[in-house]
């Protein structure tokens, strides 16, 4: 292909002709690209344009521009809605717990797995730890119903051991929801999240460990002074992404595990937008909440990135 | 961990033992929920209501499975789920692979444009509601097509596949091009055969996603015609449906007196879970390398 290009440029031609000729040469590739461009335009760029309904009173079925412009009305309605603080609290609580426990758990597990001496044993444990990642939230909900129900394993055990005298309604009371969801999230993804850390650990230069040994570092010292600093870029990167996703407190989980009794504790921004936007047909309101959430998410990623650049000299951009 | 030999200290040995014990307990917690449901699904329904089934069924019974496998809804859900996985995964893998190939051809003038066009979609999107309204406009609501067309191309998968293909020697394609092979031919005859590991990794991600997805089914196919196995299980979880089906069954054939909503649910859960459980350990090498590729790419 390079030689063809050289040929083209030897001939005295205008720029436009050159471009034309280039495209003709690459016609096969462009023929492949055109359907892809159309696809991405329809399925990714049109919805971005559709966000403008957040500033309108969109009525389904009518052309978008025949709807009334309302400016920031939907945003104001959201801020003043009686559910607002409750939703913000739930969103931040669930993702905050996720960052504190869900973010650190895989790091600890990866370090412990790395210390296992029997390689085959380590592999088996790893395989087992990936299992919950591969099952759907519907199945997880089914498992929770079975384990935590009145006759379920947990209540049955607690009753037999005499710790409680009445079965606990784990799924029917809001106060258990945050803890339940955090535990379930960790159970589902802790093993999966170790993959990235283990590959980072595998990339650490073994000479560093030998040097550490010469310096008289014990096993704990090796982890603390060599392994952890070496995987710091990976940790920071995932942390920044986690901060950016702080408003993503889950969606399917809430819809599948939550119920009307736990609503006060499970309703998060996404489920609220779905409920009002689609189930109740208030499309513009739902779109406004979605837009607000993405803007805050973007600002958080950029902010966290800036801080980490300054303090830790690590950046994702 | 180290090339220098050293006698482990007592503290180090104690730690090793604790670590192994911890890992055993950890695996127990990962696996036990499945064991419990498996036991429940093989238990007699009436007996199961007494609780206390831990590892093995107390009163063994196959009634829940027998009932399930006489149920049309299960078969149609299973069929649609399989169809979705097959169609969705093949189309997504081959189309996204083609896109990845196009954006790795070094001398292609549109390479950068295509890359950026798709990368933008990773960071910006219309969100749930504009996307939903678009699907309504396109007439994709309550059709099978909504399962695969919107997922044809995926920017993240494109990045993974492209970063793998960039590691392939250019001469591989160059000689075929000089011989006059078309780009599609090069893609199918050369690129795919040498990129099997990354195609396999993406196929695993895509297939698991299709098998497990639930929300897009209730969002886009709410009329129930294209219900997948996941939606069927979900309906059973909403107790009422399960009870209704059992009552229907008991009226229809009195031999299924011994199933309950909890054993029926457990059986469906096993049917939904088992295909994945049986397959994923063999694909471990591929998905692990896929994730690792992604982390290098950042």
């Amino acid at each position: 292909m390079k030689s063809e290009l050289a040929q083209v440029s030897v001939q005295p031609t205008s720029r436009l002709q050159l471009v034309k000729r280039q495209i003709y040469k690459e016609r096969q590739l462009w023929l492949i690209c055109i359907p892809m461009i159309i696809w991405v335009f329809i399925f990714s760029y049109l919805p971005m344009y559709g966000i403008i309904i957040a500033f309108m009173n969109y009525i389904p079925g009518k052309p978008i521009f025949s709807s009334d412009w309302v400016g920031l009305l939907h945003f104001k309605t959201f801020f003043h809605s009686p559910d607002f603080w409750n939703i913000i609290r739930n969103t931040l609580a669930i993702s905050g717990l996720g960052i504190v426990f869900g973010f650190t758990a895989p790091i600890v597990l990866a370090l412990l797995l790395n210390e296992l001496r029997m390689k085959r044993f380590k592999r088996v444990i790893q395989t087992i730890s990936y299992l919950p990642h591969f099952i759907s939230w519907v199945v997880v909900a089914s498992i929770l119903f079975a384990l935590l129900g009145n006759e379920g394993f947990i209540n049955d055990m607690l009753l037999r051991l005499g710790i409680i005298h009445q079965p606990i309604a784990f799924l029917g009371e809001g106060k258990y929801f945050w803890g339940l969801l955090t535990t379930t999230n960790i159970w589902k993804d802790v093993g999966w999240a170790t993959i990235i850390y283990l590959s980072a650990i595998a990339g650490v230069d073994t000479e560093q460990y030998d040097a550490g040994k010469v310096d008289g570092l014990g096993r704990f010292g090796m982890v603390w002074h060599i392994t952890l600093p070496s995987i710091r870029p990976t940790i920071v990167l995932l942390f920044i992404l986690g901060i950016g996703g702080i408003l993503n407190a889950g969606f399917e989980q809430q819809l599948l595990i939550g119920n009307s009794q736990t609503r006060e504790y499970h309703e998060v921004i996404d489920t609220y937008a779905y409920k009002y936007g689609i189930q109740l047909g208030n499309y513009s309101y739902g779109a406004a909440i979605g837009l607000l959430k993405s803007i805050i998410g973007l600002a958080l990623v950029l902010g966290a990135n800036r801080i980490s650049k300054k303090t830790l000299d690590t950046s994702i951009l | 961990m180290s090339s220098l030999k050293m006698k482990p200290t007592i503290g180090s040995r104690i730690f090793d033992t604790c670590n192994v014990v911890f890992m055993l307990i950890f695996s127990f917690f990962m696996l036990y929920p499945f064991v419990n449901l498996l036991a429940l699904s093989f238990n007699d329904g009436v007996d199961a209501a007494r609780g206390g089934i831990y590892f093995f069924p107390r009163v063994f019974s196959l009634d829940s499975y027998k009932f399930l496998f006489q149920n049309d809804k299960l078969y149609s859900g299973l069929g649609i789920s399989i169809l979705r996985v097959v169609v969705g995964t093949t189309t997504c893998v081959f189309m996204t692979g083609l896109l990845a190939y196009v954006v790795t051809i070094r001398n292609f003038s549109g390479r950068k444009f295509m890359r950026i066009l798709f990368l933008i979609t990773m960071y910006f999107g219309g969100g749930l509601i504009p996307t939903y309204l678009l699907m309504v406009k396109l007439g994709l609501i309550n059709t099978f097509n909504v399962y695969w067309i919107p997922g044809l191309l995926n920017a993240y998968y494109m990045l993974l596949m492209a970063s793998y293909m960039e590691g392939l020697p250019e001469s591989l394609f160059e000689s075929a091009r000089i011989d006059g092979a078309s780009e599609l031919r090069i893609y199918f005859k050369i690129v795919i055969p040498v990129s099997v590991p990354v195609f396999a990794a993406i196929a695993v991600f895509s297939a698991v996603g299709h098998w497990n997805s639930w929300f897009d089914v209730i969002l886009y196919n709410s009329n129930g015609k294209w219900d997948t196995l996941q939606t069927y299980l979900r309906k059973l979880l909403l107790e009422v449906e399960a009870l209704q089906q059992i009552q229907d069954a008991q009226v229809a054939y009195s031999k299924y007196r011994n199933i309950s909503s909890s054993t029926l649910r457990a059986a469906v859960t096993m049917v939904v879970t088992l295909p994945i459980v049986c397959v994923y350990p063999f694909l471990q090498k591929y998905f692990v390398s896929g994730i690792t590729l992604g982390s290098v790419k950042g």
Side-chain angles (χ1 to χ4, degrees), chain B residues 17-153:
Chain B
T17 316
C18 293
N19 200 8
V20 169
V21 172
F22 169 79
M23 288 300 166
L24 291 174
I25 297 171
F26 170 77
S27 336
F28 174 79
F29 278 110
M30 290 286 130
L31 291 176
Y32 181 72
F34 300 100
V35 174
N36 186 266
L37 254 71
L38 193 63
L40 200 57
S41 72
F42 282 114
N43 202 70
D44 178 90
V46 180
D47 175 72
R50 279 173 44 219
I53 292 159
Y54 296 153
F55 291 95
F56 301 102
R58 189 169 42 217
V59 180
F60 186 83
S61 152
L62 282 171
D63 279 359
S64 300
Y65 287 99
K66 277 187 196 152
F67 167 63
L68 264 187
F69 286 104
Q70 297 212 342
N71 190 322
D72 292 341
K73 276 190 181 174
L74 178 94
Y75 282 113
S76 87
L78 188 64
I80 291 164
S81 279
I82 292 172
L83 191 66
R84 176 178 178 165
V85 168
V86 172
V87 173
T89 306
T90 15
T91 53
C92 168
V93 167
F94 286 116
M95 289 308 287
T96 307
L98 186 58
L99 174 65
Y101 170 58
V102 167
V103 302
T104 38
I105 297 175
R106 241 164 254 165
N107 294 318
F108 176 43
S109 61
R111 175 186 162 188
K112 206 161 188 186
F113 167 73
M114 292 300 283
R115 227 171 232 260
I116 292 169
L117 192 69
F118 279 89
L119 282 187
I120 290 173
T121 67
M122 269 176 80
Y123 300 98
F124 303 95
L128 177 68
I129 285 150
T131 310
Y132 172 77
L133 293 174
L134 176 75
M135 298 299 166
V136 176
K137 276 238 169 75
L138 293 175
L140 287 173
I141 298 292
N142 292 325
T143 63
F144 177 76
N145 289 336
V146 80
Y147 291 148
W148 66 278
I149 295 179
L152 264 183
L153 299 168

Side-chain angles (χ1 to χ4, degrees), chain A residues 173-179 262 265:
Chain A
E173 271 187 68
K175 61 180 176 184
Y176 298 117
F177 194 82
W178 294 349
T262 60
Y265 292 87

Side-chain angles (χ1 to χ4, degrees), chain B residues 31 38 41 48 76-77 116 146 165 174 176 196 212 257 261 280 293:
Chain B
L31 291 176
L38 193 63
S41 72
S76 87
I116 292 169
V146 80
M165 290 174 191
E174 211 51 65
V196 167
N212 281 345
R257 254 169 303 142
S261 53
Y280 92 95
L293 202 60

Side-chain angles (χ1 to χ4, degrees), chain A residues 60-100:
Chain A
K62 286 212 306 191
I64 282 191
F65 279 103
S66 65
S67 308
D68 297 329
W69 286 92
V70 295
L72 298 174
L73 177 77
H74 296 302
F75 296 90
K76 284 181 193 149
T77 317
F78 179 51
F79 289 133
H80 292 126
S81 85
D83 298 321
F84 179 75
W85 287 111
N86 205 15
I87 292 162
I88 297 297
R89 180 198 67 176
N90 294 342
T91 308
L92 293 181
I94 292 169
S95 43
L97 286 167
I99 286 185
V100 173

